[in-house]
Amino acid sequence: MASREEAGAPKLSSSVKLVLLGEAAVGKSSLVLRFVNDDFQENKEPTIGAAFLTQKCNLPTRTIKFEIWDTAGQERFASLAPMYYRNAQTALVVYDITKPTSLTKAKHWVAELQRQASPGIVIALVGNKLDLASSNAISANADDVDDAENEDRRAIPTSEAKAYAEEESLLFYETSAKTGENVQAVFEAIANAIPESTLKPRGGAGTGMGGGARSSANEGHSHAVNMADATRAAKEGCAC
Amino acid sequence: MSFTDNPPLPSTDWDILITGSGIKQSLLAVALSRAGRTVLQIDHNAYYGGSSTAFYTHSDITTWTARVNAGHEAGFSHAELVGGVLGRGFTLSLAPDLVYWDSALLRMLRAADMAESFSWQAVGSWWVWLTDEEVAVPAAAAAAAAAGGGGGALLMDAGVKAAKAVAAGKKRWNKGRKKTAAAEEETVGEGEGAAVADPPPPLQEEGATTTLRKMGGFREVACTFEDVAWSKDLSDRDRGYLGEFLRFVMKHDSPDPADQKHRDIFTEYKTKPLTTLLTTLFPLPPSATTSLSSLSLLPTPPATTPLSTALPALARHFRSLGNIPDVRSAAALTVAYGGSAELCQVFSRAAAVAGGINVLGRGVSAVRPAEKEQEQGEEEAGGKQRRRRYKVALDNGEEIGVDWIIGSPSDLPSTPTPPSPAPQPTTTATEQPTALYRAAYILTADLPTLFQKKYADEAITPAAAVLMVPVAEEGGAAVPVYILARSWVTGECPRGHTLLYASTTHSYAAISTAVSRLLQSQEVPPGVLLSLFYTQTHVSPTNTGEDAEGVVYLAPEEPGVVFDDGAVEEARGVFGRIVGGGEEEGFMRLPENARRLLDEMEEA
Ligand SMILES: Cc1cc2nc3c(=O)[nH]c(=O)nc-3n(C[C@H](O)[C@H](O)[C@H](O)COP(=O)(O)OP(=O)(O)OC[C@H]3O[C@@H](n4cnc5c(N)ncnc54)[C@H](O)[C@@H]3O)c2cc1C
Ligand SMILES: Nc1nc2c(ncn2[C@@H]2O[C@H](COP(=O)(O)OP(=O)(O)O)[C@@H](O)[C@H]2O)c(=O)[nH]1
Ligand SMILES: [Mg+2]
C-alpha cells in the first residue's frame, strides 16, 4: 500500500485527497477517466460503483498519490454531503467553456471552498471541452465531422476565466477530456502547488483521521482504530 | 447547497421512494440500491441525517433551534442556545453515538465492506463522580475475605475465557495476562513461584500502585484485569463477588447446559432492579455498584432498572471490552466527524455510488394509489413500464410512480390510507422514558486527562471518554447524567477545544450540575464557548410496520448515548420484506462488479 520509490534518492511522497466540483455534465468524471485510464467515452452513463479512484503523479521532486473522490452524481440535486469535501487538500472546480451558467456555478463552488475548506487547499479552475472551441475544433475523428461540429461553440472567453482565476489565486487550465489536451498538465500543476507542509507524513498527535476513503484506514494514525486488523481479531476472538 | 443544479429527476418511475435521510433510511438506500433496485431518496431538509444530523455553522444551529421551538422538528422541543458564536471548524452532532465493538452495526458494516469508510476512534475510559463516603476502603473486609476465600474469575480483562481460571481459596488471580507492559512486570513480586511462566499480578499486599486514575471528584471505572486486581477501593471479597457477577453477566443468556445456574438466576431476578440482584447475591460496595451501572449507559438509576434491561446493556460492554486491537482498555468506538451524522452522510453517498439518487430539500406533498386509467396511459407511452402501486407528488410539482414508499410517519404527511393499527409494530416502547434532556457544550480547552492513553502498550490514543454523574432528584434517588467528551482529534473542533454531550432523564439543571462538576475537576476550569440544550422525546411507535401494501413506516429513532442496533435490524427486516424470496441474505452486500472495482483500486 505504501508508495515506495523503486530506485533513486528518497523523494517526498504523499497521498492527497482531491475532490471534483462543478455543474453536472461539465466533464468531471470524464477528466478523471482521462487522467486515470487515459480513456474517453462519448455520452457515457455514469459508472456505478466508481466514485473513488487513485492515481500517482510522479514529479522530479515529489510523488503524489491522488485519492480522487468523484461526486457520484450527488451534485445534481443539492445533495453533496459535507463529508465529500471535508479534508480535501485539493479541488478541481470544473466548468464547460460552451456553457456560461457553468462558470457561474464554478464561482459559487470556489467561494464555498474558500469559506469552508482547509486553509491550505489548492484549487484549480478548469474550463473543459476545449475541443469544442474553434481553434481546437479540427476534428480528429472522422465520424464527428459535420458543419455543426466544426462551429466554434466557445461561450466563455479564456481571458475572462483567466482574470477571475488570477483574482482568486486559483490555478487555471482549459482542457479537453475528449482529446486529453492539458489534462495531465492540470494534475501535475496541482501536485506541484501543494504546500510542503501539507505533505509531511502524518501521524503526529491529532492527525488520526482517515479521509473516509476505503484506503485511508490503513495509514497507521495513532487515533484511528484499524478495522482491517480488527476484522481478523474479531473472527479469532469470538469465543462467547 | 442552495446554488447547485436542480434539473428534473432522471426518471419518473422508481422501484422505491425513501423519504428522509436518517440512519434507517440511509441504510435502506444503500441496501436497496446495491440489490439493484431503483431508489430515489429525498429529504425535505437541506441536510442529511434528520434527527441524527450535525451542524457546522452558527446559522445551522439557530435555524434548527427556531424550528424545534416552533414545533417543526418531530421528537424535539425546548431548544436553547446559550453563549457565543460558533466559529469555523466545528461539528456539533445530534447523534454523537458510541458504537460497541460487539454490535450489529459493526458486524453489518464489515459484511458490507464499509467498516473502513469511517474513521473509528476509541472511547478510552469511563469515569464516575463519587463522594468520599461512597468509596469504601475495605481494609477489614479484605482480611475476612482472605480467610473465607472468595476467589472468583475476573472476566473484565479477557471475557469469558477467564472463567476457566477460577481457583477457589487462592488469594491470587489465576488468569494469565496475555500482554503486559514491562513496567508492570517489574511490580509483580517474585513470590509467585518459578513454575508459573506468566505470573498474575498480586493483590494489594505488595503495594502495587493502582492503575485507576482520579480527576477531582471523578474516579475511573475499572476496565482491565490490573485495574481490579490493584484497586485500593476493593477488598478481596469484593473482587470475588465482582468476578462472579461478571461471569453471570456473560453467561446469563448462554445456551450451554453448564450455565443453567446463571440462566436460573436471570429468570428469577429478571423483573427486579439491578440493585436487588447485587445486594442479594453479589454484595458489592456502593462505589462498585455505581461504577457498574455507569457501564450500562442506561438513563435509569440501578435501583429502578430491571435486570432484563440492565443485563444486555452490561453484557454488550463486557463482550466488547478488551477486544479492540491496540487499545485493550476500550470497549466502544465512535465515528469521527459527528458520530451517526457521519454514518448518514456516508451511507447516502454509498447509495449514490450504487446507482441511487439523493435529493435534498425536497419532500412529499401527496400520495395516492395509482389508478387504472393511468395504467393504460403508461402502456401507450412506453409499453415496457410496469404499473407502479403509487403516484407520489413531490413538493416541487414533479410526480413519480413507485412501488414502495419508506419513511418515518413525520416525513409522509399524506398517507394513501388512513393509518390503521399497525399489524406488527417493529418496536415496543415499554420501559422507554418519555423525555431525554440533552445538551452539547463546546469548551475552550483540551481535557488531557480524559484522552490520555491508559497503558504504554496501547498503540491507540482515545478520542472520547464517558463520564457519569449521579444527580439526586428532589427527595428521590440519584439519576444518572451521562457526559460523552470528544477531543479535537475527532475532527469536530479545533485544537484547544473539547466537546461535551450530556444527556439525562432528570432535567437541564442536572446537566448543568454534572458539567460544572467536570469543569471544576480540572486544574484550570475550562471556559464554555457555547452550549445547546434540547429535549428529545421518544415518539411512541404506534404507526410503524407496514400499513398499506407497499408503504413502510419506520419507527422513530431511539434517542440515547449508544448507537441503537435495533436500527440495523429494522432496516434488515424492511429490506427482506421488499426484496423477498431468498434475496434477504444480500442486505448491504456489495455487488460483485463493484467488489472487483474496489479490489483493483486497492492493488493500484
Ligand atoms: C465547501 C466545504 C464545506 C465543508 N463543510 C464542512 C462541514 O460541513 N463539516 C466539517 O466538518 N468540515 C467541513 N469542511 C471541512 C472543514 O472546513 C475543514 O477543512 C476541516 O475540518 C479541516 O480542519 P482544519 O482546518 O483544522 O484542518 P487541519 O486539521 O489543520 O488539517 C489541514 C489539512 O490536513 C489534512 N489532514 C488532517 N489530518 C489528516 C489525515 N489524517 N489524513 C489526511 N489528511 C489529513 C486535512 O485534509 C486538511 O486539508 C468543509 C470544507 C469545504 C471545502
Ligand atoms: N466534447 C467533449 N465532451 C466532453 C468532454 N468531457 C466530457 N464530455 C462529455 O460531456 C458529458 C458529461 O460528462 P461527465 O464526465 O459525465 O460530466 P460530469 O457530470 O461533470 O461528471 C458526457 O457526454 C461526456 O462525454 C470534453 O472534453 N469534450
Ligand atoms: Mg460525474
Side-chain angles (χ1 to χ4, degrees):
Chain A
M1 159 239 147
S3 47
R4 271 179 295 266
E5 279 309 301
E6 265 81 43
K11 252 199 309 193
L12 211 47
S13 173
S14 180
S15 288
V16 161
K17 175 174 174 180
L18 180 146
V19 295
L20 293 131
L21 293 166
E23 193 176 271
V26 295
K28 299 182 294 297
S29 303
S30 299
L31 283 167
V32 175
L33 185 66
R34 173 61 75 189
F35 176 56
V36 175
N37 286 348
D38 196 18
D39 191 11
F40 178 78
Q41 285 160 24
E42 200 86 46
N43 305 320
K44 75 165 185 44
E45 291 288 307
T47 318
I48 289 175
F52 178 76
L53 295 140
T54 59
Q55 176 70 9
K56 262 187 232 165
C57 201
N58 253 304
L59 298 175
T61 55
R62 46 170 67 169
T63 300
I64 301 293
K65 182 180 175 192
F66 284 112
E67 295 180 351
I68 306 171
W69 293 48
D70 199 355
T71 60
Q74 285 195 316
E75 76 279 24
R76 277 177 293 174
F77 304 102
S79 57
L80 265 179
M83 59 83 50
Y84 177 67
Y85 19 12
R86 175 194 308 128
N87 294 334
Q89 288 141 290
T90 64
L92 233 61
V93 179
V94 187
Y95 67 95
D96 174 346
I97 62 159
T98 71
K99 203 174 169 212
T101 58
S102 72
L103 180 61
T104 314
K105 288 241 163 82
K107 289 179 180 176
H108 280 295
W109 281 114
V110 170
E112 187 66 17
L113 286 170
Q114 287 169 341
R115 205 166 59 80
Q116 296 262 28
S118 341
I121 189 167
V122 175
I123 305 173
L125 180 70
V126 177
N128 190 40
K129 309 203 184 177
L130 185 56
D131 56 284
L132 300 177
S134 65
S135 52
N136 289 277
I138 327 124
S139 137
N141 186 334
D143 305 340
D144 286 352
V145 184
D146 69 43
D147 289 346
E149 291 277 335
N150 276 328
E151 226 175 78
D152 184 358
R153 293 176 53 197
R154 178 190 284 279
I156 299 167
T158 310
S159 57
E160 181 192 332
K162 197 171 181 189
Y164 165 72
E166 269 164 20
E167 219 169 278
E168 301 293 337
S169 314
L170 316 174
L171 298 170
F172 173 68
Y173 282 87
E174 289 188 332
T175 60
S176 168
K178 185 170 175 176
T179 65
E181 185 172 358
N182 267 347
V183 174
Q184 192 68 27
V186 178
F187 286 89
E188 278 175 16
I190 290 175
N192 261 319
I194 301 166
E196 194 131 322
S197 59
T198 333
L199 290 180
K200 291 222 176 78
R202 304 179 180 283
T207 54
M209 311 163 196
R214 194 172 189 252
S215 62
S216 300
N218 297 325
E219 283 165 24
H221 295 303
S222 58
H223 293 98
V225 172
N226 188 335
M227 300 306 277
D229 281 352
T231 312
R232 224 177 306 129
K235 276 172 190 156
E236 288 163 8
C238 199
C240 32
Chain B
M1 239 138 277
S2 52
F3 54 81
T4 35
D5 316 83
N6 259 321
L9 292 170
S11 168
T12 57
D13 178 76
W14 302 84
D15 294 330
I16 291 142
L17 170 69
I18 298 176
T19 64
S21 59
I23 287 288
K24 296 173 202 173
Q25 288 95 327
S26 303
L27 265 175
L28 281 162
V30 186
L32 292 163
S33 301
R34 284 187 170 185
R37 304 302 191 274
T38 59
V39 175
L40 176 65
Q41 182 186 20
I42 65 175
D43 193 318
H44 63 264
N45 291 318
Y47 51 81
Y48 285 105
S51 58
S52 298
T53 196
F55 307 120
Y56 306 105
T57 66
H58 199 74
S59 73
D60 286 351
I61 300 178
T62 52
T63 307
W64 183 80
T65 304
R67 283 182 53 80
V68 166
N69 292 334
H72 294 322
E73 292 286 339
F76 292 98
S77 64
H78 303 91
E80 194 187 341
L81 182 62
V82 184
V85 171
L86 190 76
R88 190 184 146 110
F90 291 95
T91 299
L92 221 58
S93 178
L94 291 181
D97 302 341
L98 257 74
V99 177
Y100 273 105
W101 182 254
D102 183 54
S103 65
L105 176 67
L106 276 184
R107 281 188 291 273
M108 180 276 289
L109 289 176
R110 290 192 195 104
D113 239 290
M114 284 192 75
E116 291 170 60
S117 301
F118 303 94
S119 183
W120 295 96
Q121 298 177 325
V123 180
S125 45
W126 248 253
W127 304 75
V128 288
W129 171 268
L130 292 170
T131 57
D132 286 342
E133 305 88 76
E134 279 177 287
V135 183
V137 184
L154 173 64
L155 301 180
M156 283 192 176
D157 185 28
V160 75
K161 286 177 191 161
K164 296 175 189 146
V166 188
K170 269 201 183 175
K171 249 181 75 185
R172 300 188 182 278
W173 298 93
N174 278 343
K175 168 70 185 71
R177 291 173 302 162
K178 276 186 263 176
K179 211 202 262 177
T180 324
E184 289 161 10
E185 219 105 15
E186 281 165 24
T187 61
V188 174
E190 252 78 275
E192 185 61 28
V196 185
D198 185 7
L203 299 184
Q204 296 166 59
E205 79 264 315
E206 282 164 53
T209 39
T210 179
T211 46
L212 288 168
R213 296 167 289 181
K214 280 188 194 169
M215 186 181 64
F218 286 90
R219 283 157 199 268
E220 189 183 11
V221 178
C223 64
T224 60
F225 177 73
E226 48 269 57
D227 279 354
V228 172
W230 300 341
S231 168
K232 304 285 189 220
D233 300 332
L234 295 171
S235 68
D236 284 357
R237 187 174 146 274
D238 298 334
R239 275 181 263 269
Y241 281 126
L242 187 57
E244 281 172 27
F245 175 68
L246 295 178
R247 187 142 44 115
F248 165 66
V249 170
M250 304 294 279
K251 306 259 179 176
H252 77 279
D253 56 355
S254 153
D256 190 332
D259 295 319
Q260 185 64 41
K261 180 182 86 183
H262 302 291
R263 285 198 303 275
D264 289 347
I265 297 176
F266 183 61
T267 311
E268 188 185 340
Y269 286 85
K270 216 159 44 185
T271 57
K272 300 192 177 102
L274 176 61
T275 35
T276 305
L277 173 87
L278 288 173
T279 48
T280 319
L281 295 182
F282 310 98
L284 288 165
S287 63
T289 304
T290 308
S291 299
L292 276 172
S293 77
S294 78
L295 300 175
S296 75
L297 296 173
L298 292 169
T300 45
T304 61
T305 311
L307 201 63
S308 58
T309 307
L311 267 205
L314 289 174
R316 79 188 161 192
H317 185 96
F318 289 107
R319 281 168 185 160
S320 300
L321 189 61
N323 288 325
I324 306 177
D326 304 320
V327 52
R328 65 192 169 97
S329 61
L333 301 172
T334 192
V335 175
Y337 306 114
S340 293
E342 173 78 353
L343 290 176
C344 296
Q345 292 185 18
V346 173
F347 288 149
S348 295
R349 177 174 160 85
V353 169
I357 299 285
N358 338 89
V359 184
L360 291 182
R362 198 165 301 173
V364 170
S365 55
V367 178
R368 64 192 159 81
E371 288 149 26
K372 286 274 184 278
E373 318 97 67
Q374 276 151 352
E375 183 183 7
Q376 279 174 353
E378 272 162 22
E379 266 159 9
E380 281 159 27
K384 65 179 175 192
Q385 243 177 31
R386 274 197 313 114
R387 181 171 74 98
R388 297 297 189 176
R389 281 187 187 131
Y390 294 106
K391 288 282 177 194
V392 179
L394 303 180
D395 58 12
N396 68 337
E398 280 185 87
E399 189 175 73
I400 58 170
V402 301
D403 277 340
W404 290 88
I405 302 171
I406 305 171
S408 57
S410 61
D411 281 328
L412 290 171
S414 165
T415 55
T417 51
S420 51
Q424 329 144 280
T426 47
T427 52
T428 50
T430 39
E431 295 128 14
Q432 210 55 44
T434 47
L436 196 62
Y437 301 99
R438 308 189 80 164
Y441 283 74
I442 298 176
L443 308 184
T444 55
D446 297 314
L447 304 185
T449 316
L450 283 182
F451 307 115
Q452 256 158 26
K453 238 190 247 182
K454 184 165 169 73
Y455 297 113
D457 65 355
E458 294 181 314
I460 303 276
T461 304
V466 175
L467 301 103
M468 195 272 267
V469 181
V471 177
E473 260 173 336
E474 226 171 291
V479 174
V481 177
Y482 291 99
I483 302 173
L484 174 64
R486 298 169 78 93
S487 82
W488 67 276
V489 305
T490 57
E492 297 162 8
C493 59
R495 232 182 236 268
H497 294 74
T498 304
L499 299 177
L500 302 181
Y501 289 97
S503 62
T504 184
T505 55
H506 190 307
S507 61
Y508 287 168
I511 290 180
S512 301
T513 303
V515 168
S516 69
R517 283 188 182 155
L518 172 54
L519 300 185
Q520 295 308 319
S521 72
Q522 305 301 303
E523 261 170 52
V524 182
V528 176
L529 177 67
L530 65 76
S531 55
L532 170 67
F533 285 79
Y534 61 94
T535 305
Q536 199 165 2
T537 8
H538 181 80
V539 192
S540 40
T542 48
N543 217 3
T544 60
E546 195 180 332
D547 279 358
E549 204 192 359
V551 180
V552 179
Y553 291 106
L554 299 171
E557 280 172 26
E558 301 263 355
V561 184
V562 188
F563 179 87
D564 173 24
D565 268 350
V568 176
E569 297 316 330
E570 188 181 342
R572 192 195 303 277
V574 172
F575 176 84
R577 268 209 313 278
I578 292 177
V579 299
E583 267 191 88
E584 296 96 331
E585 292 300 300
F587 180 62
M588 296 292 285
R589 195 178 292 154
L590 200 59
E592 208 32 60
N593 53 343
R595 249 242 72 85
R596 236 177 293 119
L597 268 171
L598 273 179
D599 288 343
E600 277 168 25
M601 221 158 50
E602 224 145 67
E603 283 157 26

